[in-house]
Amino acid sequence: MARSLPPLNALRAFEAAGRHQSFSRAAEELGVSHSAISRHVRGLEQRLGVHLFRDAARGVVLTAEGGHYLRRVSPALDVIGDATEGLADKPAGRVVVNSEPVFAAKIVVPRMAQFQRDFPEIELRLVGSNELADLDRFEADLAVRYAKSGHLDSPSDLLSDAPIYPFAAPGYLTDDTLRPEDLTRVPLLRDRGPNIWVDWAAHAGFDVAVPDPPWRMRAALALEMAVHGAGVYLGASDGTHLDETAGRLVRVSDVGFQQGSFHLLTSGLAGRRKAVRSVRTWLLDQTRSLRSG
């Protein structure tokens, strides 16, 4: 007996739109236009004789029938995807990694060319953003998160717990050495929380009242300011490694301390894909030297 199956493209469009609660995000994920998603969904609704979505202030919302259908369709598409991927000799497909900007720019981007050579069948999309992607809604397959306490509530892999040091452009400080009086006369730039310079001064044994920096800029901008000789940057040595190696930054004190760490979260369903597992393993291999353990 022939199965009563709607077109696969219509199912993919509906499933993506249902996960994201958005036709626009579904279109971005599948690499098609917003109108294509809308056309597939409306055609599917006509075929099934039910309304799958209703309009909302932002995007769309699943109806009761749509929610029930999504819960049945998503696992079925996962099974088809797993079966198809299992036949492939090499991992393939698109993998989206959401990351804090400095980690993305200084650690992942310099290694992207080698990744492309090693995994030509995988399209790695790196999104550098301070906005946290929702893995449950498939906004990303993998996400790099910073945890000040050293751990996250969700299961994750440790990427880096590199210690924090002060850095400056060569020649910015006398003898490239940070002295107590420098903390009151030069711009203090920082990677993380507002008390990080106070914490560092305490570790260094500096008996000086550290002024609060006048504004809190993004870590990526603070690091670039230090590179161009506009202040002293206090941040994790994982993000400064390339600039140190290139001679753009020097460590101006041997006093450092560990605070927080970067972790890698994997989307539950996405983690079943061979391509996602390959990217996860690659990221862990590339950051091995950044972990103390």
Side-chain angles (χ1 to χ4, degrees):
M1 182 181 297
R3 292 185 174 89
S4 176
L5 298 176
L8 179 59
N9 283 340
L11 286 179
R12 293 179 67 217
F14 160 72
E15 197 268 344
R19 281 192 281 105
H20 291 295
Q21 302 284 281
S22 167
F23 284 8
S24 296
R25 289 184 176 177
E28 182 178 354
E29 177 185 318
L30 298 180
V32 298
S33 66
H34 181 285
S35 61
I37 297 294
S38 178
R39 185 172 61 253
H40 282 309
V41 169
R42 300 312 172 205
L44 184 60
E45 289 179 326
Q46 291 176 4
R47 182 186 182 98
L48 299 177
V50 299
H51 289 292
L52 300 172
F53 294 96
R54 58 180 175 82
D55 292 332
R58 295 184 178 180
V60 292
V61 177
L62 287 162
T63 62
E65 293 85 356
H68 175 75
Y69 197 47
L70 180 68
R71 288 190 292 274
R72 301 293 299 274
V73 168
S74 285
L77 291 180
D78 288 336
V79 170
I80 295 173
D82 290 344
T84 303
E85 191 173 40
L87 296 176
D89 293 332
K90 296 180 180 180
R94 179 189 302 165
V95 177
V96 179
V97 179
N98 175 269
S99 173
E100 185 274 340
V102 170
F103 194 96
K106 297 296 185 178
I107 296 174
V108 183
V109 167
R111 296 169 167 84
M112 287 280 284
Q114 185 59 52
F115 176 87
Q116 292 168 347
R117 289 190 288 269
D118 293 341
F119 299 94
E121 292 84 7
I122 297 178
E123 179 191 352
L124 180 56
R125 287 195 175 184
L126 179 63
V127 180
S129 172
N130 288 301
E131 300 297 325
L132 304 182
D134 188 340
L135 297 185
D136 292 334
R137 294 182 63 180
F138 294 84
E139 292 180 351
D141 301 304
L142 298 160
V144 178
R145 296 284 184 270
Y146 171 72
K148 184 175 181 180
S149 63
H151 67 276
L152 298 175
D153 294 334
S154 303
S156 61
D157 298 298
L158 176 64
L159 290 175
S160 172
D161 57 358
I164 294 170
Y165 293 97
F167 299 89
Y172 181 73
L173 295 175
T174 304
D175 300 328
D176 288 333
T177 301
L178 184 62
R179 295 175 170 82
E181 59 269 23
D182 293 327
L183 299 184
T184 61
R185 70 177 185 83
V186 303
L188 301 179
L189 311 169
R190 64 191 190 279
D191 180 5
R192 298 176 185 171
N195 294 321
I196 190 172
W197 271 108
V198 175
D199 295 339
W200 181 84
H203 279 83
F206 285 4
D207 185 15
V208 60
V210 181
D212 192 32
W215 81 95
R216 172 76 161 97
M217 69 177 65
R218 297 292 189 185
L221 295 179
L223 178 54
E224 286 304 307
M225 283 188 67
V227 167
H228 293 283
V232 180
Y233 174 77
L234 184 61
S237 54
D238 50 13
T240 60
H241 175 72
L242 289 178
D243 291 307
E244 282 188 273
T245 302
R248 294 186 291 264
L249 284 178
V250 293
R251 186 184 299 178
V252 294
S253 174
D254 291 331
V255 176
F257 69 103
Q258 200 278 332
Q259 183 191 75
S261 50
F262 283 103
H263 297 254
L264 182 66
L265 283 77
T266 306
S267 172
L269 290 176
R272 293 164 52 181
R273 292 173 48 212
K274 187 182 297 184
V276 174
R277 295 197 304 271
S278 296
V279 174
R280 171 183 171 271
T281 299
W282 177 78
L283 283 170
L284 290 171
D285 287 343
Q286 293 298 312
T287 56
R288 190 180 306 277
S289 64
L290 305 178
R291 296 188 286 274
S292 60

